[in-house]
Amino acid sequence: MKSIVPVRRLALAVSAAAALVVSGAVQAADTIKVGILHSLSGTMAISETTLKDTMLMLIEEQNKKGGLLGKKLEPVVVDPASNWPLFAEKARELIQKDKVAAIFGCWTSVSRKSVLPVVEELKTPLFYPVQYEGEESSKYVFYTGAAPNQQAIPAVDYLMDQGVKRWVLAGTDYVYPRTTNKILEAYLKAKGVKDGDIMINYTPFGHSDWQSIVADIKKFGSAGKKTAVVSTINGDANVPFYKELGNQGISAEDIPVVAFSVGEEELSGIDTKPLVGHLAAWNYFMSVDADVNDEFIEAWHKFIKKEDRVTNDPMEAHYIGFNMWVKAVEKAGTTDPEKVVDAMVGVTAPNLSGGYSAMMPNHHITKPVLIGEIQDDGQFEIVYSTPGLVVGDAWSDFLPGSKDLIADWRKPLSCGNYNVKTGKCSGQNY
Amino acid sequence: MKRLLIALLLLFTLPALGAKVETGDPDLDRAFEALLGSDFAAKQAALQQLVANERPERFQWVEGILDGRLRVLKKEKRVVWVEKDGRQFKATDALTAQVLGEFKKRKLKKFRINNSLRRTIRSILAARDLDSPDPRARRKAVEAILENPSPDQIALLQPRIEKETDPAVLDAMQLVMALAKLQSPDEPERLKAIKGVSGSLEPAVRQALVRLAENDPSPSVQKSAATALRKIEDRVRVMGQIETLFFGLSLGSVLVLAAIGLAITFGVMGVINMAHGELIMLGAYTTYLIQQLMPGLPGVSLLLSIPAAFLVSGSVGIAIERGIIRFLYGRPLETLLATFGVSLILQQLVRTVISPQNVPVSNPEFMSGQLFINSALSLTYNRLYIILFCMLVFVGLFLVLKRTRLGLEVRAVAQNRGMARAMGVRAARVDALTFGLGSGIAGVAGVALSQLTNVGPNLGQQYIVDSFMVVVFGGVGNLWGTLVGGLGLGIANKFMEPWAGAVMAKILILVFVILFIQKRPRGLFPQKGRAAED
């Protein structure tokens, strides 16, 4: 780093960059740019590549319908490479260099937390499509995935109905499982489950040796009360876990496992015969019986040019989020982020289970909660769905630190964490 | 009112209109149609209705619903047996046994069931199997009752206990009866029943005894239940220790398998090969590809994968050695960086050529399930085979190094390169072959790992650190060190896991190895003599 760039060359570079920005601005005049921030390489590429394709499909369809406000939509795809700090850099690049009107992206909570200060500072909406641990509400983030009360709690309710009395909360050791399990533990205790009937277990990422843990679960489950496992085990660590359950002779009829991170996409890589009967809780399954879902699947197969590709819950979340954004832009009559963000609250858009989802003042949406049992073809049989839509709760009612907090981004409150007891907004934006 | 009722009835039967079945028997039609619907309570009732039917095939049908072989042809409205034939399904009418030809999956409707239906079906089948001529099926049926005994099922056993000839089945039946008598209102009866179940490791027995020891009105029953319970718990504890030891051995043998190839390339040759994990991954992918070539024969293809993976990883290893490493001998840092680059290239290659997603590798029949020793101790077959396989690979490698010409040359070059060359050993060729041998063994480890964990582009990364840890801990350049080190670390890890948790156990092991290396930099079994001086 000894050589110093000659001043002249530096000036040239700056003017070139300026030219780029200007040309970008000129282009932005006839198209509306939409940023897509999903990892296309690295460990998260497995899940996130599909979401990038979903967004491209949605934008293409919108353009076929004549675009938005008379302009064509233009996707801008960047690759944050499963690298959390890079998510923030790429978000900044999308907003400042490409001048996108909105960003659709992120998967892990870490990546969202890394992008959050950027979208707050540069005032651009981010649509986050994955189920997460809650305890957050930002003015510029729209959470179209499930909050814990839209996934974990209904799943536990369902199992209680089935007579489950003893609970194993098993998770990978990071923020989403830790927070979700804390909420679930408080919830179970509020329902009268005793300490001795709850077993909590954490494993490292990519854990593959499940022998002792499964043996422990088996022992825990042989106490004469119906036992279930609530699994927040992340991604592909689930496969060896299920395999070990099968090998040690534990079937879904003995000890069912309900998982929050196992969907069609995760199952498409494995032999699901030993998994039949285990459960998953989502807001959407590919097997949902609705015309709008059939159309979506057909469009997806046509777009991706492969008949055996599956659809899953985060894809539906993008479908809802994108349509909501389109409606909010139409309602505001401009893509100006500040106005669009205000117009978002109260917007409704169709979901893929045949109903409508609405954006609530806390920037979470209403969704049905579905429980499905894994079948041997990698699909889910829906065994339960909530009678109505469930409103996403940003701040859990079961955690001591957050039960008095609410989020309401409508004026005049405009606060992401308003304490109803003290009547104060903590002041931080998220 | 009546009209309203009819309207209501119509409303309830409406969902069944979606899928019609015509078998010629209206009762059967109704049962099958309800089973196709989405109301799980109606499905339960329909199942009982189906079994109440007098037809001899009824149990087969129920079994077919359980395993998905019984389906309904949507257009023809017939209940059929299906058999998968490539992408098509061969359908045979379930009532007339008429062959109906081949159909696409879309044309067939499955009977969807949930866990409680599955449980009902299993108990229906258990009741049937009580009269099976096969004693193993009878025993399974009795065990199914033992897990969840209900009064009417115990009533089923009563008349059969006198007729039973097989001693094992009789034992199981008597256990169920004794268990039922534990709840008898008569005190001496209960005391007798406690004697009858003492020593049994069945969880159901333990639960019943716990209840008696805590809540029985009679102190003498309480006492004898507590004694019986203590005896059982002692045995269970011993079994638990044996189980943990087994878990440790199996984790250890996975570590040894992953590390043993490295023990050759790093231990004997001194090459820091960061691509070792990817050579394991290539072995696992070879297993996958061979399974794709031979669908339906997972056992044979797995056995074939062993030599194939050896050749694939071995030749990639030789290519790496000839193409890169031989130019870098004596420059460990550069070797490390170069092989790290190779590992990234191999990973991305697999991502682009095959898929960034994990690929499914199925387990052959003999690798799944468990060896039943008693109710408190069962050993899973896949782990048993891995332990066995690890030992075989170790012995094989040991013999190659000690008994063959190549082994002699390898050891000679490792000990003193110059002298070996002076004696006419072609050192360059030996280097390539040694590296190939170590890489090939990594490939073989990949075959074993494909049976335990996910096969994906990141497979190798998970094992590279563990492998180096085992080799360094065991002592560089010593195969025995790798074996003892790997097994020792595996067992220590598993004994720590119950009280420290999986995350902490891993950290503690790593800290322990680091401290150990500080004290004994050459590992458990340091090399002695001149070869040890670098």
Side-chain angles (χ1 to χ4, degrees):
Chain A
M1 287 296 145
K2 254 186 283 171
S3 70
I4 294 163
V5 185
V7 177
R8 205 146 40 104
R9 209 187 291 171
L10 197 70
L12 208 72
V14 168
S15 59
L20 257 177
V21 171
V22 170
S23 75
V26 168
Q27 236 183 356
D30 24 275
T31 61
I32 297 172
K33 290 195 180 179
V34 179
I36 301 173
L37 184 65
H38 283 301
S39 301
L40 310 178
S41 53
T43 49
M44 291 313 295
I46 292 183
S47 313
E48 291 193 65
T49 313
T50 312
L51 290 185
K52 178 222 40 171
D53 290 330
T54 310
M55 282 311 298
L56 291 181
M57 173 180 89
L58 291 169
I59 290 171
E60 190 186 285
E61 282 186 351
Q62 186 65 30
N63 280 338
K64 271 190 208 144
K65 280 188 250 167
L68 186 57
L69 302 179
K71 295 178 193 170
K72 287 265 180 255
L73 292 174
E74 182 189 341
V76 184
V77 180
V78 290
D79 177 16
S82 312
N83 172 351
W84 320 137
L86 196 58
F87 267 89
E89 280 174 43
K90 289 288 174 186
R92 191 172 286 279
E93 180 187 314
L94 278 175
I95 301 169
Q96 290 186 322
K97 189 170 138 261
D98 297 308
K99 310 266 180 241
V100 297
I103 298 178
F104 291 81
C106 298
W107 182 287
T108 58
S109 286
V110 215
S111 65
R112 186 191 68 252
K113 293 268 187 209
S114 138
V115 170
L116 209 129
V118 178
V119 295
E120 296 259 338
E121 178 198 332
L122 303 174
K123 302 189 190 320
T124 304
L126 166 73
F127 289 82
Y128 177 65
V130 183
Q131 98 280 13
Y132 84 119
E133 67 279 2
E135 306 303 292
E136 185 183 300
S137 178
S138 159
K139 184 173 179 193
Y140 295 96
V141 181
F142 295 92
Y143 308 83
T144 52
N149 74 316
Q150 287 175 310
Q151 191 185 24
I153 288 186
V156 166
D157 281 340
Y158 169 76
L159 287 172
M160 268 185 189
D161 262 5
Q162 303 279 308
V164 172
K165 296 273 189 296
R166 250 166 115 79
W167 303 84
V168 181
L169 309 179
T172 302
D173 205 356
Y174 74 109
V175 54
Y176 166 68
R178 287 242 175 213
T179 316
T180 308
N181 285 344
K182 226 186 272 170
I183 294 172
L184 286 180
E185 196 188 349
Y187 181 72
L188 287 172
K189 283 187 183 155
K191 289 265 170 183
V193 178
K194 283 194 211 77
D195 261 341
D197 285 334
I198 302 175
M199 167 177 153
I200 300 182
N201 183 292
Y202 292 104
T203 41
F205 268 99
H207 193 65
S208 61
D209 192 276
W210 290 95
Q211 306 176 79
S212 335
I213 290 162
V214 169
D216 278 352
I217 291 175
K218 199 172 168 183
K219 251 175 245 150
F220 187 77
S222 67
K225 291 181 190 167
K226 178 105 181 118
T227 307
V229 180
V230 179
S231 149
T232 36
I233 296 163
N234 186 267
D236 53 9
N238 280 294
V239 180
F241 174 57
Y242 284 127
K243 262 193 191 168
E244 190 66 39
L245 281 174
N247 279 331
Q248 294 202 17
I250 301 176
S251 70
E253 295 133 59
D254 308 325
I255 302 180
V257 178
V258 57
F260 304 142
S261 308
V262 176
E264 289 86 350
E265 186 93 18
E266 285 74 20
L267 291 182
S268 67
I270 58 174
D271 175 18
T272 52
K273 283 224 173 59
L275 275 56
V276 168
H278 287 303
L279 304 144
W282 290 106
N283 307 109
Y284 166 80
F285 286 113
M286 190 180 180
S287 60
V288 162
D289 196 13
D291 290 342
V292 52
N293 183 33
D294 292 342
E295 281 161 29
F296 181 77
I297 294 171
E298 201 172 307
W300 170 241
H301 284 164
K302 215 188 245 166
F303 180 82
I304 207 80
K305 296 191 183 66
K306 239 178 148 180
E307 284 277 313
D308 56 357
R309 284 295 292 270
V310 293
T311 56
N312 64 7
D313 181 89
M315 286 171 74
E316 190 219 17
H318 259 341
Y319 172 85
I320 299 171
F322 178 75
N323 285 323
M324 282 181 167
W325 175 74
V326 166
K327 281 200 176 166
V329 169
E330 280 167 352
K331 190 166 133 195
T334 165
T335 56
D336 177 44
E338 207 61 36
K339 286 185 183 135
V340 172
V341 164
D342 283 340
M344 277 298 295
V345 174
V347 158
T348 59
N351 55 37
L352 291 178
S353 38
Y356 277 82
S357 287
M359 179 59 70
M360 302 311 282
N362 61 3
H363 286 190
H364 289 64
I365 68 174
T366 59
K367 292 176 147 202
V369 184
L370 312 173
I371 315 266
E373 277 185 10
I374 299 175
Q375 303 288 306
D376 58 4
D377 55 357
Q379 290 290 326
F380 290 86
E381 167 73 16
I382 298 165
V383 290
Y384 171 82
S385 59
T386 45
L389 298 181
V390 179
V391 180
D393 191 5
W395 300 98
S396 174
D397 299 339
F398 299 99
L399 288 182
S402 72
K403 65 172 185 267
D404 298 327
L405 295 179
I406 57 158
D408 190 337
W409 287 106
R410 286 173 301 187
K411 282 167 188 137
L413 196 58
S414 261
C415 176
N417 47 11
Y418 180 79
N419 191 319
V420 286
K421 280 238 174 86
T422 59
K424 276 196 195 113
C425 188
S426 89
Q428 87 192 66
N429 287 327
Y430 43 88
Chain B
M1 190 63 200
K2 209 170 181 186
R3 213 174 280 167
L4 190 75
L5 264 179
I6 289 170
L8 267 177
L9 268 177
L10 267 178
L11 208 70
F12 278 116
T13 48
L14 261 182
L17 286 179
K20 270 257 172 216
V21 176
E22 281 171 14
T23 57
D25 178 345
D27 283 345
L28 272 186
D29 288 354
R30 254 197 307 279
F32 278 125
E33 277 165 15
L35 279 168
L36 283 176
S38 55
D39 176 359
F40 284 102
K43 285 187 186 201
Q44 287 279 8
L47 208 54
Q48 299 300 347
Q49 210 182 323
L50 197 64
V51 182
N53 199 292
E54 288 300 302
R55 285 173 194 268
E57 309 99 314
R58 63 189 193 274
F59 288 116
Q60 275 164 26
W61 289 341
V62 172
E63 219 167 357
I65 292 174
L66 184 67
D67 59 23
R69 282 182 307 121
L70 194 72
R71 297 191 191 184
V72 168
L73 261 177
K74 283 184 209 164
K75 231 164 97 200
E76 288 80 356
K77 298 171 192 157
R78 297 234 221 158
V79 182
V80 292
W81 288 107
V82 293
E83 206 179 317
K84 199 161 185 191
D85 189 14
R87 292 184 70 87
Q88 302 273 46
F89 282 89
K90 221 164 81 188
T92 321
D93 194 298
L95 285 112
T96 61
Q98 181 193 358
V99 179
L100 298 170
E102 301 216 331
F103 295 90
K104 276 209 184 112
K105 193 178 157 197
R106 229 179 301 152
K107 306 268 177 204
L108 294 155
K109 197 160 166 73
K110 237 176 104 174
F111 294 101
R112 300 261 187 187
I113 50 177
N114 68 357
N115 281 329
S116 61
L117 280 169
R118 249 175 241 119
R119 247 193 318 268
T120 313
I121 293 180
R122 284 200 209 280
S123 73
I124 290 173
L125 293 177
R128 172 196 69 172
D129 285 347
L130 279 179
D131 294 324
S132 157
D134 179 9
R136 258 173 313 176
R138 285 204 301 275
R139 186 162 162 201
K140 259 196 157 154
V142 178
E143 273 159 11
I145 294 176
L146 181 61
E147 264 176 37
N148 203 350
S150 67
D152 47 325
Q153 274 174 321
I154 289 166
L156 276 179
L157 279 188
Q158 201 96 54
R160 286 177 174 85
I161 210 161
E162 280 118 50
K163 283 186 273 165
E164 185 55 59
T165 49
D166 188 89
V169 183
L170 194 62
D171 274 356
M173 284 181 166
Q174 270 159 352
L175 191 61
V176 178
M177 299 312 286
L179 203 58
K181 281 195 190 123
L182 280 179
Q183 277 131 14
S184 140
D186 182 28
E187 190 186 316
E189 188 90 335
R190 284 206 299 276
L191 280 172
K192 219 174 95 198
I194 291 176
K195 283 230 169 61
V197 298
S198 76
S200 161
L201 293 172
E202 288 294 337
V205 171
R206 251 181 296 159
Q207 290 153 23
L209 284 178
V210 168
R211 269 197 299 273
L212 284 187
E214 282 169 3
N215 307 327
D216 199 83
S218 144
S220 69
V221 171
Q222 271 195 15
K223 213 174 125 216
S224 86
T227 329
L229 195 60
R230 213 167 313 125
K231 228 191 275 162
I232 292 175
E233 305 256 274
D234 283 346
R235 276 190 73 194
V236 170
R237 208 162 305 126
V238 174
M239 294 304 156
Q241 297 292 335
I242 297 175
E243 192 178 42
T244 312
L245 188 69
F246 172 74
F247 289 165
L249 275 179
S250 87
L251 174 64
S253 49
V254 168
L255 290 177
V256 171
L257 269 177
I260 202 159
L262 200 71
I264 306 236
T265 52
F266 177 56
V268 177
M269 295 174 74
V271 173
I272 298 181
N273 179 18
M274 293 300 282
H276 179 72
E278 277 57 44
L279 293 167
I280 296 179
M281 175 197 73
L282 285 182
Y285 270 96
T286 311
T287 318
Y288 163 71
L289 290 176
I290 290 191
Q291 270 194 1
Q292 291 308 97
L293 289 178
M294 310 172 66
L297 292 170
V300 181
S301 65
L302 189 67
L303 290 181
L304 274 181
S305 314
I306 298 172
F310 184 84
L311 290 179
V312 169
S313 293
S315 41
V316 171
I318 289 177
I320 297 175
E321 202 275 342
R322 286 288 87 185
I324 300 166
I325 293 175
R326 74 172 159 140
F327 304 109
L328 301 171
Y329 278 121
R331 284 139 74 183
L333 265 181
E334 277 144 275
T335 321
L336 190 148
L337 286 179
T339 50
F340 184 59
V342 171
S343 84
L344 291 182
I345 292 172
L346 286 176
Q347 274 178 40
Q348 203 55 41
L349 191 76
V350 169
R351 277 202 191 101
T352 4
V353 175
I354 300 178
S355 144
Q357 260 136 343
N358 293 338
V359 293
V361 176
S362 57
N363 300 47
E365 203 58 42
F366 63 86
M367 290 283 284
S368 38
Q370 49 186 352
L371 177 69
F372 181 85
I373 294 175
N374 58 42
S375 304
L377 180 67
S378 306
L379 307 178
T380 47
Y381 279 123
N382 63 348
R383 301 283 175 172
L384 272 177
Y385 282 115
I386 298 286
I387 296 177
L388 209 71
F389 185 63
C390 167
M391 295 306 142
L392 279 178
V393 169
F394 181 79
V395 170
L397 196 60
F398 200 76
L399 289 181
V400 165
L401 283 183
K402 292 278 153 153
R403 293 285 160 85
T404 64
R405 170 103 199 150
L406 174 69
L408 188 66
E409 289 182 351
V410 168
R411 281 181 293 145
V413 172
Q415 276 170 15
N416 191 326
R417 195 179 191 87
M419 185 62 82
R421 289 185 61 178
M423 302 297 289
V425 176
R426 285 160 64 194
R429 182 173 157 272
V430 171
D431 282 339
L433 287 180
T434 316
F435 200 83
L437 177 67
S439 308
I441 296 290
V444 171
V447 178
L449 286 179
S450 76
Q451 294 298 309
L452 294 180
T453 182
N454 291 306
V455 178
N458 303 330
L459 170 69
Q461 284 181 328
Q462 292 174 7
Y463 289 95
I464 187 75
V465 174
D466 287 347
S467 306
F468 271 106
M469 193 173 76
V470 168
V471 173
V472 172
F473 176 66
V476 172
N478 192 326
L479 279 189
W480 283 108
T482 306
L483 182 73
V484 174
L487 292 182
L489 289 180
I491 293 172
N493 194 330
K494 282 296 160 188
F495 272 96
M496 256 190 276
E497 230 183 79
W499 60 267
V503 185
M504 208 53 202
K506 233 179 160 168
I507 296 173
L508 286 176
I509 290 284
L510 210 61
V511 170
F512 165 73
V513 170
I514 292 172
L515 291 179
F516 183 84
I517 296 300
Q518 297 302 315
K519 242 0 223 165
R520 299 186 60 171
R522 287 180 184 279
L524 272 181
F525 298 97
Q527 264 186 325
K528 295 194 186 77
R530 253 186 295 175
E533 321 293 332
D534 301 312

